[in-house]
Amino acid sequence: MAPAVHQNPTPAHALALLPKLSDADADLRYMSLNDLYNILNSGAPSLLVNDYHTSAKIIDGVLQTLDDQNGEVQNQAIKCVSALVLKLPPDILAPFVHRVSNIKTTHSVDSSIPATALRTFITSFPRPLPGLLPSAKTQDAYSAISRVLIPRLLGFIVIPHGMENLPSPPPGMLEIGSEKGVNSDAVDVLIEVIRCFGPMLQEAERQALQKAIMNILDDERTGSVIKKKAVLAISILAVYMSDRLLSTFVSNTIESFRSAHLPLPKRRLLITMIGSLSRSVPQRLGPYLKTLAPFILNALSEQEYNDSIEELAEDGAPNPEIEEVREAGLVALEGFLSSCSNDMRIFTNESIEAALRYLAYDPNTATDEDDEEMEDTQGEDEDEDDPETNGFNDDDEDFEEEGGMSDDDDASWKVRRCAAKALYAVISTRSNGDLLDNGTLYDKVAPVLVSRFKEREENVRLEILDTLASLIRKTGEGVSLLGPSVDQDLDFAADYASRSRKRRRVNSDLGKFDAPGAFSSSIGLSSPATSPSPVSGPKADLARLSPAVVRGVGKLLKQNSIPTKQAAITLLRDLVLVQNGGLSDNLSKIVEPLVDAVKASGASSSGSASTLAGGAAAATGSKMRIEALQLTSAICDTHSSKVIAPYIGSVVPSIVMAIKDKYYKVSSEALLTIESIIKVLTPPRSAGTEQQRRLFLNSIYDAILNRAMAIDADLEVRQRAIHALGVLLARTSGSMNSKLLTGDNKSKALEVLQDRLKNETTRLSAVKAVDLVSASAVDQSDLQLQWARNVTLELGAQLRKADRSLRGASLTALRNFVSNSVALASLDDDTVYEISGMLLPLINTNDLNLLGLAMSILGKLVKRKPKKVVDANLNNALCGVVLAPLGGAVFDAFLGLVKIIGDQAVGQPLMLSFLQKVGVSGDPAVVGKAIGTLLVSGGSTVGVKIEDFVTELQSSKDSKRKCLALSILGEAGLRLAASSPLQPSLFTAHFNSKSENVPRAAAVALGRAGAGNINTYIPVILSNSGKSGTLQYLSLHSIKEILQYAGKARADISRYTKEIWEKLLVASLAEDNKAIGAECIGRLTIIEPKTFLPMLQNYLQDPTPTVRGMVIQAVRFTFADSDDTFDEVLKPILMKMLTTMLNDPNLDNRRLALSTLNSATHNKPDIILPHLAQLIPLVMKESKINVDLVREVQMGPFKHKVDDGLELRKSAYETLYSLMENAYTRINPLDLFDRVIAGLDDEHEIKVLCNLMLTKLIVLDPEETARRLDAIAERFRIILAFKPKENSVKQEVEKATEASKGVLKVTVLLHNAFPAASGTSTNVQGQAWKGYWEWIGKEFKSQLSSMENEVKNQGA
């Protein structure tokens, strides 16, 4: 056994091991090297720094073992090199490199050992990073490389380093030999030199290395493998080339392209090299593409294609060199399109035509088939139903036999696959707001993709299917293509509301917590309505193409290949979800193969050897079954029962069989699918005969129940089975459906749900299932009394759990339970009391969402048993809540509960608590509304009268008490309406109060009281609004309250609207009244849109900027609370109004216009989105820095730059962010990314917005984000490298700190999303990002570690 390594090794310990390196026993040599490695690795940094003698001895020993005949000893020696070079004296590094590079291997079988040792030497040192001074060790390593290794590679001295009369180095390692050409290992060493020390290379060295690489590429004896390595080397070197050197290099390449006699191998090499450069330095190469791209497109031109067809007809076989050129050209074209998209815009048509041309290029088939038109794919194929051909012709085989060329010799499939990838790049970069909207992709690309479903090579076929699926997904405008997991904490009501953008903001706060939850969205009460096909646009194009796609996919599903079937099913699923159906006329073509795919088990992939090397290797029978189940679910959810009914008999048994599958992912997906089947089989959809429905539902019941009760089933399977059981019980509720599911089965299922509710692992799923059952109960037969009581108490007990998602789901279930009168009637008095007690801990402001739900439930319970529920504990809890600054839906729920307490005549203790325990301690506006609500609803039962508060108002000297009294009286006046005894003078008398808050409170109270008694109050308010100064300002607040209430409650103010309009226009011209006046005008416009919207549009042409600004703000206020009637008037004129606003000559007005567009995007997406292409260029324009708006201001002895356009740009970026979130598919991603990256160079506020946008873009468009990593890295490096001056003010330091923190957070998110980009892969793209990641890992180690933990915790 080898001796243990000393804890503090010395050179003597290393010397003692050297004699053993010559021992005859290979094991001893290996162990000695291992001990030497441990000594060098654990020794102090200065272990050998001053010991030249020991260093030389160790070098001799290690070099000796590099030539060992035992491979394991050699590998251990290589490890020793990595540890040794970091301990050697700097002066010895150069001789060490010299000796390693000149090793003559006599005993070793592996001749690459010297090169491996050199690569290890290079990679052992810390890499130099742009923007930082290299470390001393890195500088020493570069010195050795520059003085010894580079001359050794090249065969001549590039930089003499101050030394003269140096002997010439031996022949260069990169010099081309007489027979075999250049050494491959030497090229590997060169690549590592450039990759690791590229930033330190001097211009002469870069130029010399470039020349050496080009010599390798130009030599005819260089093999293809070495040429690929050389192309990689030149691509990495291009990152570090100066602009002059890169320009010279590109110019030489252009001249080579223009050569009159350019051999095909040379042409392919040049194309490959340019394509590789487009990925390594896309921003720098982009400007040259105007000249370079035609050379690549020329190689793919129709002329050359026709020439090759003629040559093929003469020779009978294609020229492999020509096909290699085409493959290289298409690969380069893909690089151009994906990395330099903006620069390739001028070549869009040529690029698409070239890709389409070679997508159909197949010299093994007759040429007339390659030119098949789309009409043929849309016609009826006479072989469509022939099982022998699967709908495909046998002409391919006949041609092959006649041509005498086998598939094994045919490499044309590589050309077709590259063509498909190029089309994928076009779709991924040029769809949104570009080629998709103008019809190019569906007119030119999609028909050809469909026609190529007959592709005989599977690798190409899969690429074609993936490309078409990408186009369909782009058409989907953000449609979710995967269903939610039952584990997720879903707010079903919110999920349902989000599916329909119409009116989602109208009175969104009213009754939010009383809205039906899971039942309305999860149960799917009726058959989905058929979506009308759009007349124009991408979806209309897809609808026209859909029949051809389905026919083609139907043929593919009959094949035996699992990868092809899986890809075809995925394509079909995307098609169904994007179109929300669309298979009604073609289901017969796909149901049978789809059912076979669901049943498939143990199948193995069958295909060619080339298939197994590609993406198809990942396809399995289980994955295909999961995709087939997802497609089945999508069809059931998007098609009417009438369409599905004929196929129920074959579909249901296959799904039930899948539920029982041993593989948990298949079983879990089948349970999701069976929920959709249940909805199809049960009323009101009721597909199939009654006998069928009863038979199928009982088999489904048995399968679900077994899975829900199985102890050995996977947790995910049990959870989904429990949820499916809830759906089944909910859909079969009511005595009308008793035949579908027997009473005994229902009782058994309810027992299972109750039991699962007590199990920690299945608790959440059981809560959601109980929610469905209780919300759908129609009569008492659906809920057993004891079960209902036990379940509700168990739900109440879950509210004490720490899991917030469980508490939220339990509250939602309780809310739906008590909202159903049938379910609520099943609870006895004791249960109601216990539940109310369980809700009390939630009556606080720690979690407002839970608070709103809890108060909604308590309101129902108070109506049921007021005297039992309303007690001192509840009153105290409500007093605590009212002290918080409540608003929105939560405050509405609070007032609703207070009103119910008053209505039930149990409000006197609560009123006493409000007055004594709260009083003026809280916000008078909040407390006053609560007391006013209770005062009116409770009437004589609350112990106080409205006159008491009038007396308090008139007698009190305390301004807080006056504000509270005013708020109470205003709310009371609103609720009492015409029966209110309060007169306007009671409120206006306090307009002149010296207190700062009383006049405003009086104005608001006057407005609220006036909203309840319009005829009495409005004349007084309008008379005051005609006066100037404070009185006018206060009157506007009163008008606002009236208009706000009138808009919601539809109060009739038509008699006064014209006078109000005139008063508002005049009052809004005053500087202090602008904001409040604009809001009032907007709210008045909502009430009478036909009258006032055209008037607002006319005022946009007013010559006064103030008037136009006021109108722009007013339009913005109309969006949030308007309805369908308003939209009908708004729709024809909104786009013209927005365009006028965004082109306003006034800077502030354009900023307001951007805010208005932002609001319109959120609230009126159905009107805005179809016309977004007209507005986005205007927004993009405002996001650019306008140098005319930047001025210098003299501040004492200093000059300070002031950017008057900053606020405008900030609004533009805020609008872009909003558009990105709501309509990303309508925006050209290239333009958006350009603006986001440009914003990282802007002012601090815009940098923050751009960082936020990047975090969203990681999810919205990961492909384009990955392509932009290098550009992002450059901007981030600048931000992090900025250091505030020592005399900087505190705000500047805080801004810099915040900017750095924001950049680090986005960096971590980007790294997590694209870990390979930060790794050690040989991909030429992303070199700048890799360097940046290494830099921050060194310079910001602690901050980065802290941020990684923060991001991880947020994700958890």
Side-chain angles (χ1 to χ4, degrees):
M1 184 174 177
V5 178
H6 199 276
Q7 290 185 353
N8 296 305
T10 64
H13 293 113
L15 282 173
L17 295 170
L18 297 182
K20 300 176 184 179
L21 299 181
S22 302
D23 195 279
D25 187 352
D27 289 340
L28 187 58
R29 297 197 301 274
Y30 176 85
M31 293 305 299
S32 300
L33 281 171
N34 186 59
D35 291 342
L36 178 61
Y37 172 77
N38 289 331
I39 287 173
L40 294 171
N41 212 30
S42 60
S46 59
L47 179 67
L48 300 174
V49 169
N50 297 314
D51 196 335
Y52 288 82
H53 173 74
T54 303
S55 299
K57 289 285 187 181
I58 295 175
I59 289 174
D60 291 339
V62 172
L63 293 182
Q64 172 190 327
T65 52
L66 284 174
D67 191 27
D68 198 285
Q69 59 187 359
N70 186 287
E72 291 185 0
V73 173
Q74 288 180 305
N75 291 338
Q76 195 62 31
I78 294 293
K79 284 182 66 178
C80 287
V81 168
S82 65
L84 175 61
V85 295
L86 297 175
K87 299 291 191 294
L88 289 177
D91 298 342
I92 294 184
L93 290 177
F96 176 76
V97 173
H98 176 74
R99 291 190 60 185
V100 173
S101 64
N102 287 285
I103 291 177
K104 302 296 183 183
T105 53
T106 56
H107 304 96
S108 172
V109 178
D110 187 357
S111 61
S112 67
I113 285 294
T116 305
L118 285 173
R119 297 207 317 270
T120 304
F121 171 87
I122 296 166
T123 57
S124 297
F125 291 94
R127 295 188 183 185
L129 298 171
L132 285 179
L133 291 174
S135 65
K137 287 187 177 295
T138 304
Q139 188 65 51
D140 293 337
Y142 167 69
S143 178
I145 290 170
S146 180
R147 290 165 57 193
V148 179
L149 185 54
I150 291 178
R152 183 70 184 86
L153 286 169
L154 300 175
F156 61 90
I157 297 172
V158 181
I159 299 175
H161 292 281
M163 294 178 284
E164 299 179 358
N165 302 321
L166 293 172
S168 299
M173 296 167 65
L174 293 174
E175 287 187 8
I176 300 169
S178 56
E179 297 178 0
K180 297 183 180 179
V182 73
N183 189 319
S184 175
D185 298 327
V187 179
D188 290 336
V189 174
L190 171 65
I191 289 173
E192 291 302 333
V193 168
I194 299 171
R195 191 195 309 278
C196 296
F197 289 90
M200 297 184 70
L201 294 175
Q202 299 183 43
E203 185 72 3
E205 291 171 328
R206 294 170 185 163
Q207 193 168 353
L209 292 176
Q210 177 210 317
K211 186 176 180 181
I213 296 169
M214 293 309 299
N215 289 338
I216 295 170
L217 290 171
D218 291 338
D219 192 86
E220 296 179 355
R221 293 166 293 180
T222 304
S224 60
V225 175
I226 298 177
K227 284 188 176 181
K228 287 181 180 178
K229 291 183 178 181
V231 168
L232 175 62
I234 199 70
S235 300
I236 300 174
L237 182 62
V239 176
Y240 307 108
M241 286 183 184
S242 64
D243 292 339
R244 184 189 63 81
L245 185 58
L246 181 63
S247 177
T248 303
F249 172 72
V250 173
S251 298
N252 292 337
T253 304
I254 291 172
E255 291 304 316
S256 299
F257 270 121
R258 289 173 175 165
S259 175
H261 304 287
L262 184 63
L264 289 175
K266 175 71 172 178
R267 189 183 191 186
R268 177 173 66 88
L269 183 63
L270 292 173
I271 292 173
T272 302
M273 188 167 58
I274 292 301
S276 186
L277 286 180
S278 71
R279 291 174 169 85
S280 65
V281 285
Q283 291 179 311
R284 299 177 67 192
L285 187 70
Y288 298 102
L289 286 185
K290 189 174 183 179
T291 307
L292 286 169
F295 295 117
I296 281 75
L297 292 171
N298 187 50
L300 305 171
S301 65
E302 185 175 8
Q303 178 63 44
E304 295 210 8
Y305 177 83
N306 292 333
D307 292 345
S308 68
I309 295 298
E310 293 176 5
E311 183 181 336
L312 177 64
E314 294 175 2
D315 299 343
N319 185 341
E321 290 187 343
I322 293 178
E323 293 196 350
E324 288 176 355
V325 170
R326 289 169 177 165
E327 181 186 355
L330 288 165
V331 171
L333 185 62
E334 180 197 355
F336 292 168
L337 292 169
S338 59
S339 302
C340 311
S341 303
N342 279 327
D343 300 289
M344 285 295 291
R345 283 180 184 272
I346 57 176
F347 302 108
T348 298
N349 292 333
E350 295 92 330
S351 300
I352 293 176
E353 288 169 2
L356 292 176
R357 185 177 300 120
Y358 287 99
L359 184 69
Y361 170 68
D362 192 351
N364 261 13
T365 60
T367 55
D368 58 347
E369 285 186 13
D370 294 336
D371 296 327
E372 199 174 334
E373 295 295 331
M374 183 60 201
E375 285 77 12
D376 296 333
T377 69
Q378 294 179 341
E380 290 297 328
D381 193 334
E382 61 184 1
D383 295 324
E384 185 175 13
D385 297 322
D386 186 355
E388 298 295 323
T389 63
N390 288 335
F392 291 86
N393 256 319
D394 290 330
D395 293 348
D396 295 349
E397 296 177 8
D398 297 339
F399 181 84
E400 291 167 15
E401 292 172 5
E402 294 172 9
M405 177 180 175
S406 69
D407 282 350
D408 294 335
D409 299 326
D410 177 28
S412 65
W413 65 272
K414 296 180 182 178
V415 176
R416 298 194 297 277
R417 185 180 65 177
C418 292
K421 288 184 176 181
L423 290 173
Y424 186 95
V426 172
I427 292 169
S428 64
T429 59
R430 297 288 306 280
S431 293
N432 303 341
D434 195 355
L435 300 181
L436 186 63
D437 289 351
N438 66 23
T440 300
L441 294 179
Y442 275 106
D443 292 343
K444 290 185 176 182
V445 177
V448 179
L449 289 172
V450 175
S451 71
R452 291 306 302 170
F453 282 0
K454 64 182 181 180
E455 170 63 50
R456 55 193 173 83
E457 184 63 39
E458 187 159 46
N459 249 349
V460 183
R461 189 162 61 243
L462 293 176
E463 202 69 52
I464 290 170
L465 289 169
D466 192 31
T467 302
L468 183 59
S470 172
L471 176 58
I472 292 172
R473 287 192 296 269
K474 288 286 186 182
T475 309
E477 298 182 5
V479 173
S480 175
L481 300 184
L482 290 175
S485 167
V486 75
D487 313 318
Q488 294 173 327
D489 179 25
L490 297 175
D491 182 344
F492 290 105
D495 177 62
Y496 180 72
S498 67
R499 299 182 189 181
S500 175
R501 288 170 171 168
K502 287 284 275 185
R503 302 285 64 74
R504 75 185 198 281
R505 292 294 294 270
V506 177
N507 296 334
S508 58
D509 292 339
L510 295 180
K512 172 185 174 184
F513 295 108
D514 291 319
F519 182 68
S520 61
S521 62
S522 182
I523 294 301
L525 286 177
S526 58
S527 285
T530 304
S531 301
S533 297
V535 179
S536 61
K539 285 196 173 181
D541 297 333
L542 178 60
R544 286 190 287 270
L545 183 73
S546 182
V549 174
V550 175
R551 277 196 297 271
V553 168
K555 297 175 186 177
L556 295 176
L557 289 176
K558 296 175 184 178
Q559 295 192 6
N560 294 325
S561 167
I562 285 180
T564 293
K565 290 168 76 173
Q566 180 177 325
I569 290 170
T570 303
L571 172 66
L572 209 53
R573 185 200 66 197
D574 294 346
L575 181 68
V576 170
L577 291 173
V578 168
Q579 291 191 118
N580 193 30
L583 299 186
S584 300
D585 299 329
N586 298 284
L587 267 183
S588 58
K589 297 181 176 64
I590 64 167
V591 167
E592 183 180 346
L594 181 61
V595 170
D596 291 339
V598 172
K599 292 179 180 178
S601 180
S604 60
S605 174
S606 62
S608 63
S610 61
T611 296
L612 296 177
T620 63
S622 296
K623 289 184 178 179
M624 181 189 70
R625 295 180 72 191
I626 292 171
E627 295 284 346
L629 288 165
Q630 290 177 351
L631 173 57
T632 305
S633 181
I635 291 172
C636 292
D637 289 341
T638 56
H639 292 78
S640 69
S641 299
K642 183 179 179 181
V643 173
I644 299 171
Y647 312 104
I648 285 293
S650 59
V651 172
V652 174
S654 66
I655 306 299
V656 171
M657 186 187 304
I659 290 175
K660 302 174 183 177
D661 198 90
K662 293 181 180 179
Y663 184 41
Y664 79 96
K665 287 189 176 180
V666 172
S667 180
S668 176
E669 195 64 47
L671 284 163
L672 280 181
T673 305
I674 209 66
E675 290 187 17
S676 301
I677 296 290
I678 291 170
K679 296 170 189 176
V680 171
L681 290 172
T682 51
R685 298 183 66 177
S686 302
T689 65
E690 183 177 338
Q691 184 178 1
Q692 278 183 319
R693 295 199 300 273
R694 188 163 57 246
L695 176 65
F696 290 144
L697 285 174
N698 277 284
S699 66
I700 290 170
Y701 168 83
D702 292 336
I704 293 174
L705 195 67
N706 288 336
R707 278 307 196 181
M709 297 175 63
I711 300 174
D712 58 341
D714 186 83
L715 176 60
E716 181 182 336
V717 173
R718 281 182 285 148
Q719 289 174 336
R720 287 187 168 171
I722 290 166
H723 191 271
L725 192 60
V727 172
L728 178 59
L729 290 173
R731 292 288 298 202
T732 55
S733 60
S735 56
M736 298 289 294
N737 297 319
S738 58
K739 294 181 180 180
L740 297 179
L741 200 63
T742 64
D744 291 341
N745 284 345
K746 283 187 178 181
S747 299
K748 178 64 175 175
L750 291 174
E751 289 176 15
V752 171
L753 291 184
Q754 183 178 341
D755 180 65
R756 297 294 89 187
L757 197 60
K758 299 174 183 177
N759 186 291
E760 185 174 355
T761 58
T762 58
R763 190 173 284 152
L764 182 58
S765 300
V767 167
K768 294 176 180 177
V770 168
D771 185 3
L772 298 177
V773 174
S774 59
S776 60
V778 177
D779 52 47
Q780 289 296 338
S781 63
D782 296 324
L783 298 175
Q784 301 167 1
L785 296 182
Q786 191 59 44
W787 181 88
R789 294 163 188 168
N790 292 341
V791 162
T792 50
L793 291 176
E794 189 63 38
L795 289 173
Q798 310 299 343
L799 302 179
R800 299 194 300 267
K801 305 296 183 184
D803 187 350
R804 186 180 183 278
S805 61
L806 177 61
R807 285 185 287 141
S810 299
L811 266 180
T812 301
L814 276 174
R815 187 269 311 274
N816 289 337
F817 193 102
V818 300
S819 298
N820 186 335
S821 58
V822 174
L824 183 59
S826 65
L827 301 181
D828 58 10
D829 294 351
D830 292 337
T831 305
V832 169
Y833 180 70
E834 287 188 60
I835 294 173
S836 63
M838 292 173 173
L839 291 168
L840 282 181
L842 299 179
I843 308 301
N844 57 64
T845 54
N846 295 336
D847 191 320
L848 294 180
N849 280 327
L850 298 184
L851 170 62
L853 284 169
M855 290 190 296
S856 173
I857 297 168
L858 281 169
K860 302 291 192 304
L861 299 180
V862 169
K863 287 182 179 179
R864 172 69 187 277
K865 282 294 173 184
K867 294 183 179 179
K868 208 168 184 66
V869 175
V870 180
D871 57 12
N873 293 327
L874 177 59
N875 291 338
N876 290 335
L878 292 177
C879 287
V881 170
V882 81
L883 287 171
L886 297 178
V890 177
F891 190 42
D892 290 336
F894 176 81
L895 293 178
L897 176 56
V898 170
K899 182 178 185 301
I900 292 172
I901 292 173
D903 290 339
Q904 300 300 318
V906 289
Q908 185 171 358
L910 181 59
M911 176 64 80
L912 192 61
S913 298
F914 279 162
L915 294 175
Q916 292 181 353
K917 296 180 180 180
V918 180
V920 295
S921 301
D923 181 357
V926 174
V927 178
K929 287 183 180 180
I931 296 175
T933 300
L934 186 59
L935 178 67
V936 175
S937 62
S940 59
T941 64
V942 295
V944 291
K945 299 178 180 179
I946 195 169
E947 290 79 7
D948 298 331
F949 295 104
V950 173
T951 304
E952 174 75 9
L953 174 62
Q954 294 172 342
S955 62
S956 177
K957 302 297 183 182
D958 182 22
S959 62
K960 288 185 177 180
R961 291 184 177 277
K962 282 182 177 290
C963 290
L964 178 59
L966 285 166
S967 181
I968 294 169
L969 293 171
E971 189 68 21
L974 171 66
R975 293 181 180 274
L976 289 170
S979 62
S980 170
L982 304 176
Q983 294 300 314
S985 58
L986 179 68
F987 302 101
T988 56
H990 298 276
F991 276 15
N992 297 321
S993 173
K994 295 180 180 179
S995 169
E996 183 179 351
N997 298 321
V998 170
R1000 174 78 175 272
V1004 172
L1006 176 66
R1008 291 192 70 78
N1013 193 354
I1014 289 173
N1015 293 330
T1016 302
Y1017 279 75
I1018 278 193
V1020 176
I1021 295 172
L1022 290 178
S1023 67
N1024 288 331
S1025 66
K1027 302 172 184 178
S1028 59
T1030 304
L1031 198 58
Q1032 187 182 60
Y1033 174 76
L1034 294 173
S1035 298
L1036 290 178
H1037 281 280
S1038 301
I1039 292 174
K1040 172 191 166 185
E1041 293 295 327
I1042 291 176
L1043 295 175
Q1044 191 169 356
Y1045 182 79
K1048 290 180 180 179
R1050 294 292 182 265
D1052 184 15
I1053 61 169
S1054 56
R1055 290 172 50 194
Y1056 305 99
T1057 51
K1058 185 176 180 182
E1059 185 178 357
I1060 293 174
W1061 175 266
E1062 293 171 353
K1063 299 282 186 181
L1064 289 176
L1065 287 178
V1066 175
S1068 299
L1069 295 178
E1071 187 66 29
D1072 293 339
N1073 299 343
K1074 278 184 181 178
I1076 183 67
E1079 183 175 355
C1080 291
I1081 290 173
R1083 295 192 179 280
L1084 183 59
T1085 305
I1086 293 172
I1087 296 171
E1088 291 190 12
K1090 292 182 180 179
T1091 303
F1092 298 120
L1093 259 179
M1095 296 175 69
L1096 283 180
Q1097 185 180 11
N1098 292 334
Y1099 275 116
L1100 286 174
Q1101 308 296 334
D1102 193 280
T1104 308
T1106 307
V1107 174
R1108 298 198 304 272
M1110 178 269 296
V1111 171
I1112 294 171
Q1113 283 183 288
V1115 172
R1116 185 183 69 196
F1117 283 114
T1118 64
F1119 295 143
D1121 297 321
S1122 50
D1123 57 11
D1124 290 325
T1125 305
F1126 180 84
D1127 285 1
E1128 289 176 4
V1129 182
L1130 178 68
K1131 190 172 182 178
I1133 62 176
L1134 178 59
M1135 291 307 302
K1136 187 174 181 180
M1137 291 177 72
L1138 287 172
T1139 305
T1140 304
M1141 295 177 194
L1142 291 168
N1143 286 306
D1144 196 286
N1146 184 271
L1147 199 67
D1148 289 334
N1149 286 350
R1150 292 206 303 278
R1151 180 179 61 79
L1152 293 172
L1154 287 168
S1155 299
T1156 302
L1157 173 59
N1158 198 342
S1159 177
T1161 305
H1162 279 288
N1163 298 289
K1164 306 294 179 186
D1166 295 334
I1167 301 177
I1168 291 292
L1169 296 187
H1171 308 284
L1172 210 53
Q1174 304 172 34
L1175 301 174
I1176 287 179
L1178 300 174
V1179 181
M1180 294 280 188
K1181 176 185 173 184
E1182 301 298 353
S1183 70
K1184 298 176 182 177
I1185 297 176
N1186 186 348
V1187 293
D1188 295 334
L1189 298 177
V1190 180
R1191 54 192 172 86
E1192 276 193 353
V1193 177
Q1194 190 78 31
M1195 300 180 68
F1198 304 104
K1199 288 185 177 180
H1200 179 65
K1201 281 190 176 181
V1202 175
D1203 188 351
D1204 294 328
L1206 176 60
E1207 289 300 319
L1208 179 61
R1209 290 201 308 281
K1210 185 179 175 183
S1211 294
Y1213 274 101
E1214 288 172 348
T1215 305
L1216 283 176
Y1217 178 78
S1218 177
L1219 292 172
M1220 180 188 75
E1221 281 198 309
N1222 294 282
Y1224 183 74
T1225 55
R1226 301 277 184 171
I1227 305 174
N1228 187 312
L1230 305 180
D1231 295 336
L1232 178 63
F1233 271 90
D1234 286 345
R1235 296 316 312 146
V1236 172
I1237 292 173
L1240 295 173
D1241 289 330
D1242 212 316
E1243 297 296 330
H1244 173 74
E1245 295 88 345
I1246 294 175
K1247 288 176 183 174
V1248 172
L1249 277 170
C1250 290
N1251 280 333
L1252 191 58
M1253 293 172 78
L1254 281 175
T1255 63
K1256 300 290 184 182
L1257 288 169
I1258 292 172
V1259 178
L1260 290 172
D1261 198 341
E1263 291 181 352
E1264 188 63 26
T1265 306
R1267 296 187 193 106
R1268 302 287 184 135
L1269 284 177
D1270 284 352
I1272 294 169
E1274 293 173 7
R1275 272 69 177 186
F1276 278 6
R1277 188 190 296 275
I1278 295 171
I1279 295 171
L1280 291 175
F1282 173 75
K1283 304 294 181 188
K1285 297 177 182 178
E1286 292 183 1
N1287 59 349
S1288 297
V1289 295
K1290 181 182 178 182
Q1291 289 85 344
E1292 291 297 324
V1293 176
E1294 289 175 349
K1295 279 184 180 181
T1297 304
E1298 183 185 352
S1300 297
K1301 188 175 179 180
V1303 163
L1304 287 174
K1305 182 173 183 178
V1306 180
T1307 299
V1308 171
L1309 292 172
L1310 287 167
H1311 171 70
N1312 292 343
F1314 314 105
S1318 311
T1320 57
S1321 65
T1322 57
N1323 191 355
V1324 296
Q1325 193 171 6
Q1327 293 294 317
W1329 177 261
K1330 291 176 191 174
Y1332 164 73
W1333 179 253
E1334 292 173 2
W1335 175 63
I1336 62 170
K1338 179 180 179 182
E1339 293 299 311
F1340 299 87
K1341 186 175 182 180
S1342 60
Q1343 298 99 310
L1344 184 63
S1345 177
S1346 174
M1347 186 56 66
E1348 285 176 330
N1349 292 332
E1350 182 180 327
V1351 170
K1352 185 177 180 180
N1353 293 334
Q1354 288 177 351

